[in-house]
Amino acid sequence: MDSKNPETLALHAGWRRDEATTSVAVPIYQTTSYQFNSTEHAANLFGLTELGNIYTRIMNPTTDVLEQRIAALEGGVAALAVSSGQAASAFAVQNITRAGDNFVASTDLYGGTWNLFANTMKDMGIECRFVDPEDPAAFARATDERTRCYYAETLPNPKLRVFPIKEVAKVGRDLGVPLIVDNTAAPVLCRPLDHGAAIVMHSTTKYIGGHGTSIGGMIVDGGNFDWEAHADRFPMLNQPDPSYHGAVWTEAVKPMGPIAYIIKARVTLLRDLGSAMSPFNAFQFIQGMETLPLRMRAHCENGTAVAEYLAGHDKVGKVIHPSQMDGEERRRADAVMSGGYGGLVGFEFKDGGKDAGQKFIDSLQMFYHVANIGDSRSLAIHPATTTHSQLTPEDQEQTGVTDGYVRLSVGIEHIDDIIADLDQALAVT
Ligand code: PLP
């Protein structure tokens, strides 16, 4: 597929027809195993001298189409599907990080990722150093010889301040540290690999699916980071891997392209930890993806219209959406996003704090009250009493969640109906 256009890639990348049946739709290959042609064929597959299907825990033909499609959309060389966005974040870091190593992450992260990095990874002996993305140089200051990667989100909620991808990727490339970007909130709108990131990950659960039926995750290898040039920093890719009969990943798969990182993730982490995406979920994501570029356009239009409406409402104080930002925040958004600023919108009540936030949520009629984002339907939540309720008031403040803060994931319904629902809920709050 030569096209670079997301509308075309979302429909065509990675698939033309089923060779056995000529089926145009991607079939659900609901199988655990694959018959080898011969013992030699089986040995080649296990020895990675030939790529092909062995066992669905590590690859599946339906999932393979989704992987190719998302890799094409992001401009990467290959991708790995896993069972959730959480598994994707964990694998993306663990693939190049051992006990005793560290990595540097933006403070503006999804709460689940924060927990994984601050607690579970710490228990594994991996230190996450959190730095404020306001200052890209902070990433350099937190780096030492045991730093294995940088990690950030393109459009992190609740603050919705777009991450300085170019600046931090440059800091990392100068020091030999790859930047991993969670692009869950901005597929199509931003391609982090074009701005210097080395790896992209997604919770496909959100916009990529759009239907809210399936949990999944994806890691995309940009193929643009020279792991061999920084062999001391990446022993896991440059030294013999005892778990795979001494394979040196940067050498073993060289004839297949710059895919050392993603192959290793597949044949060691996915093999050992087993967080595989089910073929049925991969099929669901393929269906969702067909309309992803169209939906993102609608999310952006509606998100901007909602932000404008809220900004003009007398009960509303601050409105949080890149379309309402100016100065450096707006410059950062415009530097890496095109086609709009996404469907996530936050706002704060001028008065009434927690009571106002809760009353408003309870009064919504069309918006769903759920702990999710990226669905085609409009969603809302009051973070202070739900997703961020375990945090201390100081930590809530630091993450940008005040008592009167409401998070909206604006869907693709008709804008008049979205605003009518917000309007009636604001009127009774
Ligand atoms: N990254 C972001 C930005 C998210 O919003 C989420 C979930 O809300 C995740 C990762 C985790 O994804 P999942 O719920 O698919 O595990």
Side-chain angles (χ1 to χ4, degrees):
M1 176 53 53
D2 287 338
S3 176
K4 286 201 164 33
N5 299 312
E7 294 80 359
T8 310
L9 294 172
L11 283 160
H12 291 286
W15 180 259
R16 183 62 190 171
R17 58 170 201 166
D18 185 44
E19 288 309 320
T21 63
T22 74
S23 165
V24 170
V26 179
I28 306 174
Y29 288 99
Q30 194 69 30
T31 183
T32 56
S33 328
Y34 308 86
Q35 165 78 2
F36 303 123
N37 300 335
S38 63
T39 50
E40 189 193 353
H41 178 223
N44 287 346
L45 294 180
F46 276 85
L48 295 178
T49 53
E50 208 179 310
L51 288 185
N53 298 316
I54 298 176
Y55 188 59
T56 282
R57 178 164 15 94
I58 46 177
M59 75 275 281
N60 173 278
T62 310
T63 311
D64 176 58
V65 176
L66 179 69
E67 289 167 342
Q68 290 190 50
R69 213 157 266 190
I70 295 181
L73 191 77
E74 288 291 359
V77 291
L80 176 67
V82 288
S83 57
S84 67
Q86 283 297 107
S89 324
F91 276 28
V93 173
Q94 280 176 299
N95 199 35
I96 43 176
T97 313
R98 283 193 180 122
D101 294 342
N102 66 72
F103 66 108
V104 185
S106 164
T107 44
D108 291 359
L109 290 182
Y110 163 61
T113 313
W114 175 286
N115 239 327
L116 167 70
F117 290 175
N119 298 305
T120 302
M121 291 259 184
K122 188 174 170 199
D123 291 344
M124 294 171 169
I126 298 169
E127 182 199 355
C128 179
R129 301 173 173 178
F130 291 101
V131 299
D132 188 343
E134 280 298 284
D135 176 15
F139 281 79
R141 289 196 296 275
T143 304
D144 62 23
E145 74 285 354
R146 295 294 296 265
T147 304
R148 302 295 181 239
C149 59
Y150 298 157
Y151 191 102
E153 288 178 24
T154 308
L155 183 61
N157 80 77
K159 289 183 191 160
L160 301 176
R161 292 186 312 196
V162 172
F163 184 76
I165 299 177
K166 290 182 189 198
E167 292 86 339
V168 176
K170 164 93 173 61
V171 168
R173 285 189 184 268
D174 290 347
L175 295 170
V177 180
L179 172 64
I180 302 173
V181 177
D182 178 341
N183 201 31
T184 299
V188 180
L189 309 176
C190 174
R191 297 213 312 178
L193 300 175
D194 291 349
H195 305 295
I199 307 294
V200 166
M201 62 80 41
H202 278 278
S203 164
T204 53
T205 314
K206 317 293 178 193
Y207 288 104
I208 290 196
H211 33 51
T213 65
S214 315
I215 301 276
M218 188 69 70
I219 307 167
V220 181
D221 188 339
N224 60 12
F225 194 84
D226 191 348
W227 307 104
E228 284 177 287
H230 307 285
D232 289 346
R233 207 182 274 288
F234 302 105
M236 293 170 82
L237 292 173
N238 287 289
Q239 289 175 14
D241 186 339
S243 89
Y244 215 99
H245 45 68
V248 175
W249 295 112
T250 45
E251 285 166 14
V253 294
K254 211 172 250 174
M256 298 168 199
I259 56 169
Y261 171 94
I262 207 75
I263 279 279
K264 180 193 169 291
R266 183 186 295 281
V267 302
T268 65
L269 284 179
L270 191 56
R271 175 198 63 184
D272 298 347
L273 299 176
S275 318
M277 180 183 284
S278 82
F280 181 74
N281 279 8
F283 175 81
Q284 293 281 69
F285 293 127
I286 289 169
Q287 306 316 299
M289 257 195 98
E290 294 195 348
T291 56
L292 177 67
L294 285 176
R295 282 188 284 112
M296 290 316 291
R297 223 172 283 155
H299 282 296
C300 287
E301 278 170 23
N302 287 350
T304 298
V306 164
E308 257 170 45
Y309 159 79
L310 290 170
H313 198 286
D314 56 9
K315 288 188 181 170
V316 173
K318 195 169 170 193
V319 177
I320 300 142
H321 187 253
S323 66
Q324 295 286 319
M325 296 173 185
D326 48 25
E328 176 62 7
E329 288 183 344
R330 180 61 172 262
R331 187 202 66 75
R332 286 186 180 180
D334 290 337
V336 296
M337 293 184 76
S338 56
Y341 301 111
L344 301 177
V345 179
F347 71 93
E348 282 169 14
F349 277 94
K350 268 186 197 152
D351 305 307
K354 192 188 283 185
D355 290 345
Q358 287 186 301
K359 179 83 201 311
F360 171 80
I361 296 279
D362 285 334
S363 307
L364 289 167
Q365 291 170 2
M366 186 181 77
F367 274 69
Y368 281 90
H369 177 201
V370 295
N372 194 21
I373 59 166
D375 200 295
S376 299
R377 303 159 193 84
S378 288
L379 317 173
I381 200 158
H382 180 241
T385 52
T386 57
T387 51
H388 290 62
S389 58
Q390 282 101 12
L391 271 62
T392 61
E394 296 75 46
D395 284 351
Q396 282 193 2
E397 190 79 34
Q398 213 203 345
T399 58
V401 170
T402 55
D403 277 350
Y405 177 85
V406 170
R407 182 185 80 196
L408 305 176
S409 174
V410 178
I412 61 170
E413 300 94 341
H414 195 287
I415 188 61
D416 293 351
D417 297 320
I418 294 173
I419 294 202
D421 196 23
L422 296 172
D423 206 48
Q424 65 76 26
L426 281 166
V428 296
T429 298

